Amino acid sequence: LASAMLALTVAAQTANAETWPTKRFVFKNKSANSPLPDGVFDGYPDSHLIAIEAYENYLTEVAVRYEAMGFKAPKLPIIQNDSGDDAYLINVYDYSDGDGVARVDLMPDMSTRMRLDLSRNFTDDGVALPITFEHLSHELFHAVQRTYQRNYNDDMGHWIMEGQAQAVGMEMALDIDCIDENAGSAEGYRIGGRAYYRNLAEPNIDKKEDYRSSGFWRFLAEMRAASAMNEKDPIEYRDERCGVTRYRADYSVLHDLLSERFQGPASSNADLRWIDRALRQTTK
């Protein structure tokens, strides 16, 4: 019954989804600012190709789910892959370890660029790292979030941007490949544990409470899933695949929230005014 309910929910989401121009991805070993012309590689060896293909295929699976949940298409550059198909470009090169192992950069024209560090996302033999899959879905969600932003300078707080991306990024890695790199020793991080007696919009950055705010957004996604399934018994919508017992989550609620215009300038008060208004509008 739960599986049938989930299928109906996904079908309903897909019917209302924005169609993305492509759900393919191509990783090019080239800096976005490289003087090398398009198509000229400056580095990754053949030993990395299997991992690169795995990362590309994973992002396609993520994109299928993001599109089905109604999220807007990211404004990433689109080029043709080796098969002649349109694909979102991800730049892969060795950049400063002071930046994240993967990241999305917002351009002045509100488009985005996504990059992956060549030196920190593969083993010495060029094998894919499990945690990188989570990073990729996390960063792709940042590109999605930016499509709802009206102004280059009106950034929402990290507890919103990073908390949402962390929740969805972990969900995709677990849902697609049963990857749960934060289980066990980092269990509190995995479930989004933070001090909720503190102001949401003023997290303790040293304890990564901005990322740990993922629990708040997952709660909303679980509520959306439970409401759609109309189940009285929560056991009916538990998901025990991958050896983890968890409630199903429907992150389409974040599309509805992000569609509610953020009114800057950016500040803690603006964050709280936005979430209050968005929750009243979308969840009553």
Side-chain angles (χ1 to χ4, degrees):
L1 176 61
S3 297
M5 290 285 189
L6 181 62
L8 289 173
T9 301
V10 172
Q13 292 169 356
T14 304
N16 297 321
E18 172 182 314
T19 301
W20 288 24
T22 181
K23 290 183 283 293
R24 295 183 175 90
F25 292 80
V26 59
F27 285 54
K28 291 290 186 181
N29 191 344
K30 177 177 176 296
S31 164
N33 300 315
S34 171
L36 294 173
D38 289 340
V40 176
F41 291 172
D42 57 355
Y44 62 69
D46 290 345
S47 60
H48 287 54
L49 292 179
I50 294 176
I52 290 290
E53 183 178 5
Y55 290 155
E56 290 175 344
N57 291 338
Y58 171 74
L59 278 180
T60 291
E61 292 294 327
V62 173
V64 167
R65 287 160 171 77
Y66 286 177
E67 181 190 62
M69 286 185 280
F71 290 114
K72 294 182 179 181
K75 296 178 181 177
L76 294 167
I78 295 177
I79 64 172
Q80 288 190 324
N81 61 17
D82 292 341
S83 300
D85 299 314
D86 286 348
Y88 288 119
L89 170 65
I90 311 298
N91 294 291
V92 184
Y93 61 102
D94 189 7
Y95 56 78
S96 170
D97 288 357
D99 284 343
V101 296
R103 65 173 293 154
V104 163
D105 299 300
L106 180 64
M107 302 291 106
D109 65 356
M110 301 303 294
S111 66
T112 47
R113 301 290 185 273
M114 187 167 166
R115 50 185 161 125
L116 187 74
D117 191 1
L118 182 61
S119 66
R120 290 179 287 163
N121 287 286
F122 307 86
T123 67
D124 291 342
D125 297 327
V127 176
L129 296 178
I131 190 62
T132 297
F133 293 95
E134 179 186 311
H135 290 316
L136 288 171
S137 45
H138 177 118
E139 293 303 320
L140 182 59
F141 194 75
H142 278 321
V144 167
Q145 287 171 318
R146 294 299 191 182
T147 66
Y148 296 86
Q149 187 171 336
R150 275 77 171 184
N151 185 288
Y152 183 82
N153 295 314
D154 276 353
D155 281 349
M156 294 178 173
H158 277 195
W159 74 276
I160 298 173
M161 301 294 285
E162 297 297 351
Q164 289 181 354
Q166 186 64 23
V168 181
M170 289 190 296
E171 177 78 3
M172 293 299 103
L174 186 60
D175 185 58
I176 295 171
D177 285 330
C178 292
I179 293 172
D180 189 5
E181 288 294 290
N182 298 302
S185 60
E187 194 74 12
Y189 189 77
R190 182 181 69 82
I191 64 175
R194 61 157 287 177
Y196 283 101
Y197 59 83
R198 292 173 57 88
N199 188 328
L200 268 175
E202 297 177 1
N204 184 333
I205 303 301
D206 290 339
K207 294 185 178 182
K208 293 191 174 181
E209 285 187 343
D210 45 356
Y211 289 83
R212 290 172 182 260
S213 298
S214 60
F216 175 74
W217 306 107
R218 178 165 183 93
F219 165 73
L220 296 178
E222 289 179 2
M223 291 292 289
R224 170 63 65 88
S227 176
M229 293 178 185
N230 196 26
E231 293 286 349
K232 295 182 180 179
D233 186 349
I235 293 176
E236 293 296 329
Y237 62 94
R238 282 185 184 173
D239 183 0
E240 297 185 6
R241 196 175 62 86
C242 303
V244 177
T245 300
R246 59 192 177 127
Y247 291 117
R248 298 190 187 279
D250 179 0
Y251 283 99
S252 66
V253 67
L254 298 188
H255 162 69
D256 295 342
L257 294 174
L258 290 168
S259 296
E260 185 69 24
R261 182 164 187 166
F262 177 76
Q263 296 176 346
S267 69
S268 294
N269 285 337
D271 286 349
L272 296 176
R273 286 196 304 269
W274 169 79
I275 190 60
D276 181 66
R277 186 175 63 254
L279 284 174
R280 291 176 188 275
Q281 182 67 28
T282 60
T283 69
K284 310 304 178 189

